[in-house]
Amino acid sequence: MALYVQTKSIDVGPSTDISQYLSLIREDSILNGNRAVIFDVYWDVGFPETETKTKTSGWSLSSVKLSTRNLCLFLRLPKPFHDNLKDLYRFFASKFVTFVGVQIEEDLNLLSENHGLVIRNAINIGKLAAKARGTLVLEFLGTRELAHRVLWSDLGQLDSIEAKWEKAGSEEQLEAAAIEGWLIFNVWDQLSEE
């Protein structure tokens, strides 16, 4: 079976319209029947004294990855993050989508505290897997390890991509992001069927 995940990376500027891409992600999540969007966020760390007084930490959102079974959208956000992404705020606030992520509690807190961004319907897939399988350790695993334990798949090809993440070009990073999103989507599917 060939795996193809359509990927798109966008450098978001003040006038970039991301609404059409968010609509595609939402539509694909509905077509897949479970309304799940896999998400991951990436942070820049600054020193609190250089940040605005409204922020509670030196963490600033730098990019967001949104994935479904067929799509992966990687948004590189402006630095500094200006909280001007109304479409992204509305998307995350949607009650019609379930946002699924790995070890997401701290990210959810930082999104709310630092950017006023609230995800209304979020599920930590590790906690769900731990409860469904009765194995507490699943809650603390990363993406690849969790997918291996739940799906019982050989993920050897992912090792070479992840090992090159720090020095990889944007093409390889996007491929790794798409694979990770696809893996967690399949974990979600598997757990939803149990």
Side-chain angles (χ1 to χ4, degrees):
M1 174 177 129
L3 168 64
Y4 177 74
V5 176
Q6 185 178 353
T7 59
K8 178 77 174 172
S9 178
I10 301 172
D11 290 320
V12 180
S15 61
T16 306
D17 181 9
I18 59 172
S19 62
Q20 64 184 340
Y21 301 106
L22 296 175
S23 292
L24 287 172
I25 292 284
R26 183 177 20 258
E27 288 168 16
D28 195 53
S29 75
I30 292 168
L31 289 174
N32 288 318
N34 60 17
R35 298 181 187 261
V37 172
I38 309 307
F39 85 100
D40 201 357
V41 293
Y42 304 89
W43 301 92
D44 282 336
V45 181
F47 297 102
E49 62 269 13
T50 63
E51 299 294 322
T52 63
K53 294 182 191 244
T54 60
K55 292 187 179 177
T56 58
S57 75
W59 294 76
S60 180
L61 188 61
S62 65
S63 55
V64 175
K65 177 183 70 178
L66 302 167
S67 303
T68 61
R69 180 185 311 280
N70 304 307
L71 303 172
C72 178
L73 177 62
F74 195 83
L75 302 172
R76 285 187 203 91
L77 303 175
K79 295 174 189 164
F81 183 82
H82 293 294
D83 298 335
N84 63 348
L85 298 167
K86 291 180 179 136
D87 290 325
L88 186 61
Y89 279 68
R90 280 192 295 269
F91 185 69
F92 276 136
S94 173
K95 61 183 177 182
F96 301 110
V97 176
T98 300
F99 293 93
V100 180
V102 177
Q103 299 180 6
I104 58 173
E105 283 82 7
E106 187 174 351
D107 288 330
L108 294 172
N109 288 335
L110 287 170
L111 286 169
S112 177
E113 291 172 8
N114 291 358
H115 300 294
L117 203 154
V118 176
I119 298 179
R120 289 178 57 173
N121 193 10
I123 292 180
N124 181 335
I125 191 75
K127 277 188 177 180
L128 181 65
K131 185 176 180 182
R133 299 285 170 93
T135 308
L136 183 60
V137 73
L138 294 177
E139 181 178 342
F140 305 102
L141 298 178
T143 299
R144 186 173 56 93
E145 296 84 8
L146 180 62
H148 175 71
R149 296 284 290 275
V150 172
L151 301 173
W152 296 102
S153 301
D154 175 22
L155 305 175
Q157 65 186 19
L158 185 59
D159 287 337
S160 64
I161 295 170
E162 285 188 335
K164 296 188 289 184
W165 181 265
E166 288 302 316
K167 57 186 172 188
S170 61
E171 194 75 29
E172 290 166 316
Q173 288 176 339
L174 194 55
E175 181 180 2
I179 290 170
E180 290 170 357
W182 184 85
L183 286 170
I184 294 304
F185 188 88
N186 282 287
V187 168
W188 171 257
D189 257 4
Q190 178 76 31
L191 294 173
S192 296
E193 293 173 4
E194 293 181 359

